[in-house]
Amino acid sequence: MSSVLELKGIEKSFGGHPVLRQVEFALEPGKVVGLLGPNGAGKSTLLKIAVGLLMPDAGQVRVFGEPPSWQSLARIAFLPDRGHFARGLKVEAALAMAARLYDRFDRGLAEAVLKDAHLRPGTRLSELSRGQEARLHLALCVARHPELLILDEPLSGLDILSREAMVETVIGTVSDEAPAVLITTHDLDEVEGHFDEVILLQEGKVVLKAEAESLRVRYGSLRQMYKEVMQP
Amino acid sequence: MEPIQVAGITFRLDPGKPLYEQIVDQVQGALARGDVKLNERLPSVRELAQLLKVNPNTVMRAYQDLERGGLLMTYRGQGTFITDKPQPVERLKQDLAYRAVAHLVNEMRRLGFSREQALALLQEVKWS
């Protein structure tokens, strides 16, 4: 089985300070993988490198077997930790924009997700709650029928209902289309049942990569695993 | 985790054990006890994953495992059902009973009890 995403020997420094050191892992089709680690471990940098938004100083990135390019980007949906949309835009304009940008954009699917979130097309983005905004961004991601879905802290700062709704949308997408999913999160309680595999990043290095089910047996829970492995 | 009732099955998942095994065990337990009826429709992979807050791949794996044991049947476009035949359920009950007894025997032997002593205890012990 060929990997959806393959990273080899990735190195990245900012201003002489190493952020990623010899990072290697592969993501298989249909797997949901949690990329965990404390703030500043390099998770977001790694995701940006994976989708080609940042160049590594050394190492190799392969997405669907090729270096990242605009062709591979069309098959990836990336939810950054902070969304950037013009605040004056209306929801429907955001949808129209996405539909123009992306060939495979499924407007019906996006609208269904938004309807669940009680998001009306005429609402301005500046009037959205944080939870609604997050769900708009997620709707735009899943409606592209991505083969690789990358979510950077999708639940942070959201209330419990929005968090549950976000998780439900992701489960729905995984059930229906089985994309590979890479998620960074600190909200382990909500998502620990969803990972096939877990990668732990600490100070820019992969310190653990294992199947979630075996970690549950070894540590009692992923939360416990995180605590034990991250102990200084 | 809070227990979740679905189609007569009570799911109670412990985050410290393989989730896939727990789903299989809990469906089997419900079948053995008769909590869930033959030919009963089960939630789709997607629905059960959402209810239990687990990865759909985990539910899919559990369903496939149960299908291999003849306990579930999936019909394209119609969904997943408990088998309509009593034989696989009877076989399952036997299997589970043997496993439970084997476990008990091992434990009693480990503690130094003879077969006679164990049987005597079984006679004495309150069943309900």
Side-chain angles (χ1 to χ4, degrees):
Chain A
M1 196 158 34
S2 67
S3 300
V4 170
L5 173 65
E6 199 176 357
L7 301 174
K8 271 189 191 157
I10 299 294
E11 301 265 345
K12 183 77 188 175
S13 298
F14 289 119
H17 174 69
V19 175
L20 295 175
R21 293 185 269 191
Q22 285 298 316
V23 170
E24 306 217 356
F25 68 85
L27 192 60
E28 306 307 326
K31 295 279 188 214
V32 180
V33 177
L35 178 62
L36 310 178
N39 292 321
K43 302 186 298 290
S44 296
T45 303
L46 187 57
L47 294 188
K48 283 179 193 145
I49 287 174
V51 298
L53 287 174
L54 262 179
M55 288 294 283
D57 300 334
Q60 200 184 51
V61 183
R62 289 286 177 274
V63 189
F64 310 109
E66 312 262 326
S69 65
W70 63 268
Q71 286 101 333
S72 62
L73 273 181
R75 300 159 74 183
I76 305 174
F78 178 43
L79 182 76
D81 56 353
R82 284 178 206 89
H84 303 286
F85 263 127
R87 310 288 294 160
L89 217 61
K90 285 180 181 171
V91 169
E92 59 194 352
L95 287 184
M97 211 152 91
R100 264 207 319 277
L101 265 169
Y102 304 117
D103 274 352
R104 288 197 279 183
F105 191 74
D106 182 342
R107 192 156 179 167
L109 177 58
E111 281 167 355
V113 174
L114 295 182
K115 204 171 155 213
D116 284 343
H118 306 291
L119 254 169
R120 275 182 291 276
T123 311
R124 279 182 203 289
L125 299 191
S126 53
E127 296 161 15
L128 298 182
S129 71
R130 199 157 170 178
Q132 286 175 318
E133 196 179 342
R135 292 175 73 182
L136 170 63
H137 283 284
L138 184 62
L140 295 178
C141 281
V142 300
R144 291 174 49 202
H145 298 296
E147 289 160 74
L148 170 57
L149 177 61
I150 298 183
L151 309 171
D152 194 3
E153 287 294 340
L155 307 180
S156 82
L158 304 188
D159 65 78
I160 181 135
L161 292 179
S162 301
R163 289 212 292 265
E164 283 189 352
M166 294 281 281
V167 171
E168 265 187 28
T169 302
V170 175
I171 297 178
T173 305
V174 173
S175 307
D176 296 342
E177 309 182 30
V181 186
L182 186 59
I183 307 177
T184 72
T185 185
H186 292 294
D187 302 273
L188 264 183
D189 282 346
E190 257 100 356
V191 292
E192 74 163 289
H194 301 285
F195 299 138
D196 291 306
E197 284 170 27
V198 171
I199 297 167
L200 268 186
L201 204 62
Q202 190 175 31
E203 292 173 9
K205 278 189 284 198
V206 174
V207 291
L208 182 144
K209 180 180 190 292
E211 281 196 12
E213 294 279 56
S214 67
L215 293 175
R216 277 189 253 285
V217 177
R218 215 158 87 209
Y219 292 96
S221 71
L222 296 187
R223 169 179 270 279
Q224 189 58 31
M225 176 278 298
Y226 186 89
K227 277 196 204 159
E228 285 183 30
V229 177
M230 289 302 170
Q231 284 291 330
Chain B
M1 177 189 148
E2 295 285 293
I4 289 167
Q5 287 257 353
V6 188
I9 309 165
T10 306
F11 289 99
R12 193 179 280 111
L13 297 186
D14 172 351
K17 294 183 186 140
L19 300 173
Y20 140 80
E21 281 173 22
Q22 294 182 69
I23 295 172
V24 170
D25 281 353
Q26 291 173 19
V27 172
Q28 288 183 339
L31 264 166
R33 282 191 303 276
D35 289 350
V36 54
K37 290 193 274 301
L38 293 184
N39 216 7
E40 178 105 32
R41 188 202 176 94
L42 291 184
S44 67
V45 167
R46 175 201 182 111
E47 286 162 350
L48 190 58
Q50 287 182 330
L51 283 167
L52 301 180
K53 303 188 193 314
V54 302
N55 186 321
N57 295 335
T58 306
V59 176
M60 179 103 78
R61 211 173 133 205
Y63 274 11
Q64 282 169 350
D65 201 82
L66 290 161
E67 249 178 85
R68 268 196 299 278
L71 298 170
L72 298 191
M73 296 173 307
T74 298
Y75 300 112
R76 242 177 200 291
Q78 290 182 58
T80 300
F81 297 80
I82 299 289
T83 176
D84 55 359
K85 300 181 192 67
Q87 297 90 332
V89 180
E90 275 312 310
R91 244 188 349 256
L92 167 75
K93 283 186 80 162
Q94 287 288 329
D95 277 2
L96 293 176
Y98 277 125
R99 253 191 270 167
V101 170
H103 182 75
L104 176 74
V105 169
N106 273 334
E107 198 57 14
M108 292 303 275
R109 284 173 60 175
R110 190 178 71 84
L111 297 171
F113 286 91
S114 71
R115 180 191 169 96
E116 288 67 35
Q117 287 170 318
L119 277 173
L121 269 171
L122 266 178
Q123 296 284 355
E124 266 175 46
V125 81
K126 266 195 174 165
W127 202 250
S128 53

